[in-house]
Amino acid sequence: MKCVTCNLGETRPGTTTMTLERGDTTLVVKKVPAQVCVNCGEAWLNEDTVARLETLLDTTVNNGTEVALQQYAVA
């Protein structure tokens, strides 16, 4: 797919790091699967990946954790 951000590069399967915040909680998730532009590095996530990240954030918030770092893992 052509990158809609830079309009120059093509996207390829890869990984990215996502930082999610809710209230006083910050969750950093590494190695998140994404389509990544080879030119500008912009990343796009599919719906299943977004849903998994939302679940991870819900769990982190519910545990009362203020800052967390983890690698992405399929449930």
Side-chain angles (χ1 to χ4, degrees), residues 14-20 26-34 36 43 45 49 52-53 56 60 68-74:
T15 62
T16 190
T17 298
M18 297 298 299
T19 302
L20 310 169
T26 301
L27 171 62
V28 178
V29 185
K30 299 176 84 171
K31 296 187 179 180
V32 177
V36 182
L45 309 177
T49 301
R52 176 72 179 135
L53 290 173
L56 292 172
T60 304
L69 170 66
Q70 67 183 73
Q71 287 192 25
Y72 185 91
V74 179

Side-chain angles (χ1 to χ4, degrees), residues 44-58:
W44 287 269
L45 309 177
N46 68 33
E47 290 179 33
D48 292 338
T49 301
V50 171
R52 176 72 179 135
L53 290 173
E54 289 174 349
T55 299
L56 292 172
L57 182 58
D58 289 343

Side-chain angles (χ1 to χ4, degrees), residues 1-5 9-12 35-38 42-44:
M1 143 177 141
K2 188 167 189 165
C3 177
V4 297
T5 299
E10 294 289 323
T11 63
R12 301 281 185 258
Q35 288 290 319
V36 182
C37 176
V38 297
E42 188 69 29
W44 287 269

